[in-house]
């Protein structure tokens, strides 16, 4: 069991979306929150909200996690200030949501830098102290699109497959080198946070848009119970099994289920993030 109460918990992208909700929940359970996000205003608002709700103010740090040097520099500041991180939640993420030829190169690079590479820098920064202390948990927020490609998500899905590969390889490495450490990877279908505004599910009973509070609660619960993998909703767990089928059948099922038209009406946050 990974204890939340009394633990130092760092969440990237902790100022909004499921990062904010996980922070609120973990603060309610007695965790000491360290929130990293790139926007000082939303960070301040969330820190104030958590303080009002729990009586304990998280430590907020402004950081663009796609900047490797900034991550390492802030990580050493954090380690000086609080000594160690017990639970690291690599959560910050962005999406372009366009056809490959319509995604500017810089956006593809940014997507990989935030969704995939940042977790390397964060984990490398905090893992040594976890190993030394014999205690720690690394959480990777991946996606259902870590398991299946989707039209208009080529950069996003590829970055999330990278996140999945990162988690699995790290898990195997830690079994050999530091078996007392835990990892959790999270693969949710679309969540109603605004990041994927406009997306549709053809069969909402089978593949509902997930409710952010419920997702955050499931993740916190999984961390407490040291679950290695969380996939939401349950039907998404069948995707790896479908891969034994011929590609033409796999593609036909995915298309029938609406996977490849789900992004047709995507608007996202409309902020060109
Ligand atoms: N929403 C979904 O449908 C869904 C489904 C599966 C997986 N996920 C994954 O779940 C995670 C959280 O998603 P969400 O829906 O909660 O998204 P969200 O509401 O957009 O929150 C993401 C947070 O990360 C921050 N962020 C983005 N780039 C950053 C950077 N370079 N440095 C520091 N912080 C940065 C954002 O800041 P700004 O507000 O400034 O952008 C925002 O506060 C992501 O990894 C996402 O890929 C989401």
């Amino acid at each position: 069991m990974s204890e939340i109460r009394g633990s130092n918990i760092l969440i990237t992208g902790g100022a909004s979306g499921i990062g904010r909700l996980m922070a609120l929940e973990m603060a309610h359970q007695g965790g000491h929150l360290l929130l990293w996000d790139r926007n000082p205003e939303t960070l301040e608002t969330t820190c104030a909200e958590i303080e009002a709700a729990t009586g304990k103010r998280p430590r907020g740090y402004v950081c663009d996690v796609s900047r490797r040097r900034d991550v390492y520099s802030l990580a050493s500041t954090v380690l000086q200030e609080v000594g160690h991180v017990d639970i690291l939640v690599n959560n910050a993420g962005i999406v372009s949501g366009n056809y490959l030829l319509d995604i500017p190169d810089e956006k593809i690079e940014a997507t990989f830098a935030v969704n995939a590479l940042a977790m390397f820098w964060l984990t490398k920064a905090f893992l040594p102290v976890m190993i030394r202390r014999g205690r720690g948990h690394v959480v990777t927020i991946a996606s259902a699109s870590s398991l299946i490609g989707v039209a208009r998500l080529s950069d996003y899905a590829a970055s999330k497959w990278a996140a999945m590969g990162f988690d699995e390889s790290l898990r195997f490495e830690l079994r050999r080198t530091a078996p007392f450490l835990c990892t959790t990877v999270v693969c949710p279908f679309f969540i109603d946070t605004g990041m994927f505004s406009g997306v549709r599910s053809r069969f909402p009973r089978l593949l509902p848009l997930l409710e952010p509070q419920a997702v955050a609660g499931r993740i916190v619960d999984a961390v407490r119970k040291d679950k290695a993998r969380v996939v939401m909703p349950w039907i998404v767990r069948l995707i790896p099994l479908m891969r034994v089928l011929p590609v033409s059948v796999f593609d036909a099922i995915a298309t029938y289920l609406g996977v490849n038209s789900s992004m047709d009406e995507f608007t996202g946050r409309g902020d060109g993030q």
Side-chain angles (χ1 to χ4, degrees):
M1 294 279 280
S2 284
E3 189 62 48
I4 302 287
R5 179 167 301 283
S7 289
N8 292 336
I9 303 162
L10 192 162
I11 305 179
T12 66
S16 55
I18 57 168
R20 169 182 155 271
L21 292 169
M22 287 187 282
L24 255 169
E25 179 60 31
M26 287 168 150
H28 275 299
Q29 295 186 22
H32 305 305
L33 273 300
L34 310 152
L35 306 185
W36 287 27
D37 213 301
R38 62 181 173 180
N39 182 321
E41 282 88 37
T42 48
L43 190 56
E44 169 54 33
T45 304
T46 298
C47 288
E49 180 193 11
I50 293 176
E51 184 178 21
T54 66
K56 185 131 192 278
R57 189 178 172 82
R59 287 171 180 266
Y61 300 90
V62 177
C63 182
D64 178 342
V65 296
S66 68
R67 295 167 166 265
R68 175 165 48 92
R69 285 201 179 83
D70 292 359
V71 169
Y72 283 145
S73 157
L74 183 57
S76 74
T77 304
V78 165
L79 287 174
Q80 276 166 25
E81 285 179 9
V82 302
H84 64 273
V85 165
D86 298 294
I87 301 173
L88 167 64
V89 186
N90 286 309
N91 165 73
I94 55 173
V95 61
S96 343
N98 226 328
Y99 288 107
L100 175 64
L101 295 182
D102 296 325
I103 313 173
D105 294 350
E106 297 71 27
K107 237 174 171 182
I108 295 172
E109 286 175 340
T111 299
F112 274 85
V114 179
N115 296 6
L117 289 176
M119 58 186 63
F120 285 80
W121 320 141
L122 267 295
T123 308
K124 282 189 78 177
F126 293 107
L127 196 58
V129 180
M130 291 182 182
I131 293 173
R132 216 174 308 134
R133 295 183 75 242
R135 174 167 191 244
H137 198 134
V138 179
V139 183
T140 301
I141 307 299
S143 165
S145 57
S146 300
L147 305 170
I148 188 167
V150 178
R152 293 183 59 171
L153 282 182
S154 57
D155 55 344
Y156 182 82
S159 71
K160 291 295 184 179
W161 282 55
M164 190 80 176
F166 171 79
D167 164 81
E168 194 158 287
S169 304
L170 180 66
R171 189 175 77 237
F172 284 134
E173 274 185 28
L174 293 177
R175 287 226 174 114
R176 287 178 163 200
T177 58
F180 39 85
L181 298 191
C182 299
T183 61
T184 299
V185 66
V186 184
C187 304
F189 184 62
F190 295 122
I191 314 164
D192 195 10
T193 57
M195 182 184 193
F196 278 91
S197 281
V199 296
R200 277 179 320 177
S201 172
R202 182 178 285 173
F203 298 104
R205 277 168 180 266
L206 207 58
L207 279 170
L209 241 63
L210 301 170
E211 206 271 306
Q213 189 78 53
V215 174
R218 275 282 300 279
I219 299 171
V220 174
D221 196 49
V223 170
R224 278 186 40 247
K225 294 176 177 160
D226 295 339
K227 283 197 175 163
R229 190 189 299 136
V230 183
V231 182
M232 288 171 274
W234 68 270
I235 196 160
V236 174
R237 283 189 236 152
L238 300 182
I239 293 171
L241 301 181
M242 278 166 52
R243 293 199 176 278
V244 299
L245 299 168
V247 172
S248 56
V249 179
F250 178 89
D251 288 3
I253 295 173
T255 302
Y256 173 73
L257 289 173
V259 172
N260 284 311
S261 50
S262 59
M263 289 288 292
D264 285 358
E265 314 286 329
F266 168 83
T267 52
R269 296 202 181 281
D271 55 4
Q273 58 169 224

